[in-house]
mmCIF file of all heavy atoms in Angstrom:
data_model
loop_
_atom_site.group_PDB
_atom_site.id
_atom_site.type_symbol
_atom_site.label_atom_id
_atom_site.label_comp_id
_atom_site.label_asym_id
_atom_site.label_seq_id
_atom_site.Cartn_x
_atom_site.Cartn_y
_atom_site.Cartn_z
ATOM 1 N N ASN A 68 -0.761 -4.399 16.133
ATOM 2 C CA ASN A 68 -1.408 -3.562 17.151
ATOM 3 C C ASN A 68 -2.709 -4.198 17.598
ATOM 4 O O ASN A 68 -3.769 -3.610 17.488
ATOM 5 C CB ASN A 68 -1.672 -2.155 16.579
ATOM 6 C CG ASN A 68 -2.217 -1.212 17.630
ATOM 7 O OD1 ASN A 68 -1.805 -1.265 18.785
ATOM 8 N ND2 ASN A 68 -3.153 -0.362 17.239
ATOM 9 N N LYS A 89 1.164 -20.579 1.411
ATOM 10 C CA LYS A 89 0.865 -20.614 -0.021
ATOM 11 C C LYS A 89 -0.639 -20.516 -0.274
ATOM 12 O O LYS A 89 -1.439 -21.171 0.389
ATOM 13 C CB LYS A 89 1.388 -21.942 -0.569
ATOM 14 C CG LYS A 89 1.255 -22.122 -2.057
ATOM 15 C CD LYS A 89 1.901 -23.448 -2.448
ATOM 16 C CE LYS A 89 1.693 -23.764 -3.907
ATOM 17 N NZ LYS A 89 2.294 -25.079 -4.221
ATOM 18 N N LYS A 102 -0.302 -15.547 -10.022
ATOM 19 C CA LYS A 102 -0.672 -14.254 -9.452
ATOM 20 C C LYS A 102 -0.025 -13.094 -10.213
ATOM 21 O O LYS A 102 -0.595 -12.012 -10.320
ATOM 22 C CB LYS A 102 -0.235 -14.242 -7.982
ATOM 23 C CG LYS A 102 -0.836 -13.142 -7.149
ATOM 24 C CD LYS A 102 -0.390 -13.295 -5.690
ATOM 25 C CE LYS A 102 -0.612 -12.036 -4.891
ATOM 26 N NZ LYS A 102 0.080 -12.094 -3.591
ATOM 27 N N TRP A 103 1.193 -13.333 -10.738
ATOM 28 C CA TRP A 103 1.863 -12.229 -11.436
ATOM 29 C C TRP A 103 1.080 -11.782 -12.658
ATOM 30 O O TRP A 103 1.266 -10.665 -13.139
ATOM 31 C CB TRP A 103 3.296 -12.596 -11.828
ATOM 32 C CG TRP A 103 3.449 -13.750 -12.784
ATOM 33 C CD1 TRP A 103 3.756 -15.042 -12.468
ATOM 34 C CD2 TRP A 103 3.310 -13.724 -14.216
ATOM 35 N NE1 TRP A 103 3.808 -15.822 -13.596
ATOM 36 C CE2 TRP A 103 3.543 -15.042 -14.685
ATOM 37 C CE3 TRP A 103 3.009 -12.722 -15.142
ATOM 38 C CZ2 TRP A 103 3.483 -15.377 -16.040
ATOM 39 C CZ3 TRP A 103 2.951 -13.059 -16.499
ATOM 40 C CH2 TRP A 103 3.188 -14.370 -16.932
ATOM 41 N N GLU A 106 -1.299 -9.182 -10.617
ATOM 42 C CA GLU A 106 -1.112 -8.442 -9.363
ATOM 43 C C GLU A 106 -0.660 -6.995 -9.561
ATOM 44 O O GLU A 106 -1.084 -6.117 -8.811
ATOM 45 C CB GLU A 106 -0.194 -9.192 -8.391
ATOM 46 C CG GLU A 106 1.246 -9.280 -8.794
ATOM 47 C CD GLU A 106 2.069 -10.026 -7.740
ATOM 48 O OE1 GLU A 106 1.771 -9.913 -6.543
ATOM 49 O OE2 GLU A 106 3.005 -10.720 -8.129
ATOM 50 N N GLU A 111 -2.420 -1.286 -9.576
ATOM 51 C CA GLU A 111 -2.693 -0.047 -10.314
ATOM 52 C C GLU A 111 -4.169 0.330 -10.219
ATOM 53 O O GLU A 111 -4.509 1.503 -10.032
ATOM 54 C CB GLU A 111 -2.279 -0.189 -11.781
ATOM 55 C CG GLU A 111 -2.526 1.093 -12.567
ATOM 56 C CD GLU A 111 -1.848 1.092 -13.927
ATOM 57 O OE1 GLU A 111 -0.670 1.470 -13.989
ATOM 58 O OE2 GLU A 111 -2.497 0.721 -14.925
ATOM 59 N N TYR A 118 -6.674 7.422 -6.202
ATOM 60 C CA TYR A 118 -6.100 8.635 -6.792
ATOM 61 C C TYR A 118 -7.165 9.500 -7.468
ATOM 62 O O TYR A 118 -7.139 10.733 -7.374
ATOM 63 C CB TYR A 118 -5.032 8.204 -7.798
ATOM 64 C CG TYR A 118 -4.428 9.301 -8.626
ATOM 65 C CD1 TYR A 118 -3.729 10.347 -8.017
ATOM 66 C CD2 TYR A 118 -4.541 9.295 -10.008
ATOM 67 C CE1 TYR A 118 -3.166 11.347 -8.790
ATOM 68 C CE2 TYR A 118 -3.981 10.294 -10.775
ATOM 69 C CZ TYR A 118 -3.301 11.316 -10.171
ATOM 70 O OH TYR A 118 -2.750 12.305 -10.935
ATOM 71 N N THR A 145 -3.616 -0.631 -22.637
ATOM 72 C CA THR A 145 -2.365 -1.072 -22.011
ATOM 73 C C THR A 145 -2.530 -2.435 -21.346
ATOM 74 O O THR A 145 -1.651 -2.869 -20.612
ATOM 75 C CB THR A 145 -1.903 -0.068 -20.935
ATOM 76 O OG1 THR A 145 -2.802 -0.133 -19.814
ATOM 77 C CG2 THR A 145 -1.874 1.354 -21.468
ATOM 78 N N ARG A 187 0.096 -8.517 9.628
ATOM 79 C CA ARG A 187 -0.504 -9.756 9.154
ATOM 80 C C ARG A 187 -1.767 -10.112 9.924
ATOM 81 O O ARG A 187 -2.176 -9.411 10.840
ATOM 82 C CB ARG A 187 0.516 -10.902 9.322
ATOM 83 C CG ARG A 187 1.650 -10.850 8.331
ATOM 84 C CD ARG A 187 2.632 -11.974 8.599
ATOM 85 N NE ARG A 187 3.335 -11.774 9.856
ATOM 86 C CZ ARG A 187 4.005 -12.733 10.502
ATOM 87 N NH1 ARG A 187 4.034 -13.958 10.018
ATOM 88 N NH2 ARG A 187 4.632 -12.467 11.620
ATOM 89 N N ASN B 68 -0.301 9.049 -14.068
ATOM 90 C CA ASN B 68 -0.183 10.515 -14.073
ATOM 91 C C ASN B 68 1.175 10.922 -14.626
ATOM 92 O O ASN B 68 1.952 11.581 -13.966
ATOM 93 C CB ASN B 68 -0.348 11.060 -12.643
ATOM 94 C CG ASN B 68 -0.366 12.577 -12.615
ATOM 95 O OD1 ASN B 68 -0.921 13.214 -13.508
ATOM 96 N ND2 ASN B 68 0.249 13.160 -11.595
ATOM 97 N N LYS B 89 6.132 -11.909 -15.678
ATOM 98 C CA LYS B 89 6.649 -12.829 -14.671
ATOM 99 C C LYS B 89 8.036 -12.395 -14.191
ATOM 100 O O LYS B 89 8.901 -12.035 -14.992
ATOM 101 C CB LYS B 89 6.750 -14.209 -15.314
ATOM 102 C CG LYS B 89 7.166 -15.320 -14.395
ATOM 103 C CD LYS B 89 7.119 -16.637 -15.173
ATOM 104 C CE LYS B 89 7.654 -17.784 -14.362
ATOM 105 N NZ LYS B 89 7.624 -19.026 -15.171
ATOM 106 N N LYS B 102 7.494 -16.429 -4.035
ATOM 107 C CA LYS B 102 7.271 -15.108 -3.450
ATOM 108 C C LYS B 102 6.369 -15.183 -2.212
ATOM 109 O O LYS B 102 6.511 -14.396 -1.282
ATOM 110 C CB LYS B 102 6.638 -14.209 -4.521
ATOM 111 C CG LYS B 102 6.652 -12.739 -4.208
ATOM 112 C CD LYS B 102 6.063 -11.963 -5.391
ATOM 113 C CE LYS B 102 5.706 -10.548 -5.024
ATOM 114 N NZ LYS B 102 4.857 -9.927 -6.060
ATOM 115 N N TRP B 103 5.434 -16.141 -2.214
ATOM 116 C CA TRP B 103 4.529 -16.215 -1.062
ATOM 117 C C TRP B 103 5.280 -16.511 0.225
ATOM 118 O O TRP B 103 4.777 -16.249 1.312
ATOM 119 C CB TRP B 103 3.410 -17.233 -1.286
ATOM 120 C CG TRP B 103 3.851 -18.668 -1.467
ATOM 121 C CD1 TRP B 103 4.002 -19.334 -2.643
ATOM 122 C CD2 TRP B 103 4.198 -19.609 -0.435
ATOM 123 N NE1 TRP B 103 4.421 -20.617 -2.421
ATOM 124 C CE2 TRP B 103 4.552 -20.824 -1.080
ATOM 125 C CE3 TRP B 103 4.245 -19.552 0.953
ATOM 126 C CZ2 TRP B 103 4.946 -21.963 -0.378
ATOM 127 C CZ3 TRP B 103 4.643 -20.687 1.662
ATOM 128 C CH2 TRP B 103 4.985 -21.874 0.997
ATOM 129 N N GLU B 106 6.201 -12.625 1.038
ATOM 130 C CA GLU B 106 5.566 -11.361 0.676
ATOM 131 C C GLU B 106 4.660 -10.785 1.763
ATOM 132 O O GLU B 106 4.601 -9.570 1.932
ATOM 133 C CB GLU B 106 4.838 -11.452 -0.675
ATOM 134 C CG GLU B 106 3.615 -12.310 -0.682
ATOM 135 C CD GLU B 106 2.952 -12.325 -2.063
ATOM 136 O OE1 GLU B 106 2.993 -11.301 -2.775
ATOM 137 O OE2 GLU B 106 2.392 -13.359 -2.413
ATOM 138 N N GLU B 111 4.206 -6.697 6.092
ATOM 139 C CA GLU B 111 4.124 -6.372 7.510
ATOM 140 C C GLU B 111 5.325 -5.541 7.953
ATOM 141 O O GLU B 111 5.178 -4.574 8.708
ATOM 142 C CB GLU B 111 4.031 -7.646 8.357
ATOM 143 C CG GLU B 111 3.908 -7.337 9.842
ATOM 144 C CD GLU B 111 3.519 -8.549 10.674
ATOM 145 O OE1 GLU B 111 2.314 -8.805 10.800
ATOM 146 O OE2 GLU B 111 4.420 -9.247 11.185
ATOM 147 N N TYR B 118 4.402 2.521 10.600
ATOM 148 C CA TYR B 118 3.528 2.628 11.775
ATOM 149 C C TYR B 118 4.296 3.062 13.020
ATOM 150 O O TYR B 118 3.813 3.866 13.824
ATOM 151 C CB TYR B 118 2.863 1.264 11.984
ATOM 152 C CG TYR B 118 2.045 1.119 13.236
ATOM 153 C CD1 TYR B 118 0.931 1.930 13.452
ATOM 154 C CD2 TYR B 118 2.366 0.165 14.199
ATOM 155 C CE1 TYR B 118 0.174 1.790 14.595
ATOM 156 C CE2 TYR B 118 1.608 0.015 15.339
ATOM 157 C CZ TYR B 118 0.514 0.833 15.539
ATOM 158 O OH TYR B 118 -0.227 0.692 16.672
ATOM 159 N N THR B 145 7.161 -15.114 15.734
ATOM 160 C CA THR B 145 6.071 -15.388 14.785
ATOM 161 C C THR B 145 6.612 -15.683 13.390
ATOM 162 O O THR B 145 5.835 -15.763 12.444
ATOM 163 C CB THR B 145 5.103 -14.189 14.683
ATOM 164 O OG1 THR B 145 5.777 -13.108 14.013
ATOM 165 C CG2 THR B 145 4.658 -13.710 16.051
ATOM 166 N N ARG B 187 1.430 1.636 -12.635
ATOM 167 C CA ARG B 187 2.506 0.761 -13.086
ATOM 168 C C ARG B 187 3.677 1.549 -13.665
ATOM 169 O O ARG B 187 3.653 2.777 -13.726
ATOM 170 C CB ARG B 187 1.970 -0.179 -14.178
ATOM 171 C CG ARG B 187 1.064 -1.267 -13.641
ATOM 172 C CD ARG B 187 0.529 -2.121 -14.777
ATOM 173 N NE ARG B 187 -0.389 -1.365 -15.610
ATOM 174 C CZ ARG B 187 -0.763 -1.728 -16.835
ATOM 175 N NH1 ARG B 187 -0.272 -2.827 -17.385
ATOM 176 N NH2 ARG B 187 -1.619 -1.002 -17.518
#
Side-chain angles (χ1 to χ4, degrees):
Chain A
N68 186 38
K89 184 176 175 182
K102 195 176 163 192
W103 62 261
E106 69 179 326
E111 181 167 274
Y118 173 61
T145 70
R187 287 178 292 163
Chain B
N68 185 38
K89 185 176 174 182
K102 194 177 165 194
W103 62 261
E106 69 179 326
E111 181 168 273
Y118 173 61
T145 70
R187 287 178 292 163

